[in-house]
């Protein structure tokens, strides 16, 4: 039983999107942009859940705060990654 759990956890570790991005052969700027988009997707999940499945119920304020904080963090990471890509491009010329 331990071998099955160890094997499945190893498979999950190798095949999850975050691990794929972190260990990809890409510049760190691209990795930061991809991880920022994943943060935005994860931050929007509670709000999407309330809108799609509980359309009549009003979401609690914490859902809006979670989405707002995640969106700000994701946009900041996207901006830093994009500016770093531009700086690296013009520095190498």
């Amino acid at each position: 039983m331990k071998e099955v759990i160890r094997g499945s956890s190893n498979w999950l570790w190798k095949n999850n999107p975050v691990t794929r991005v972190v260990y990809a052969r890409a510049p760190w700027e691209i990795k930061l942009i991809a991880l920022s988009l994943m943060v935005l997707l994860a931050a929007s999940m509670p709000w999407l859940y309330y809108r799609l499945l509980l359309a009549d119920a009003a979401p609690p304020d914490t859902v809006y705060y979670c989405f707002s904080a995640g969106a700000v963090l994701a946009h900041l990471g996207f901006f830093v990654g994009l500016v770093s890509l531009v700086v690296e491009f013009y520095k190498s010329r």
Side-chain angles (χ1 to χ4, degrees), residues 24-40:
R25 279 182 259 154
W28 69 271
E29 295 94 349
I30 299 291
K31 292 178 185 181
L32 182 63
I33 291 171
L35 290 172
S36 297
L37 293 175
M38 287 182 198
V39 166
L40 183 61

Side-chain angles (χ1 to χ4, degrees), residues 43 46-47 50 59-69:
W47 187 78
Y50 270 96
D61 289 340
T62 55
V63 170
Y64 293 117
Y65 294 145
C66 175
F67 178 70
S68 299

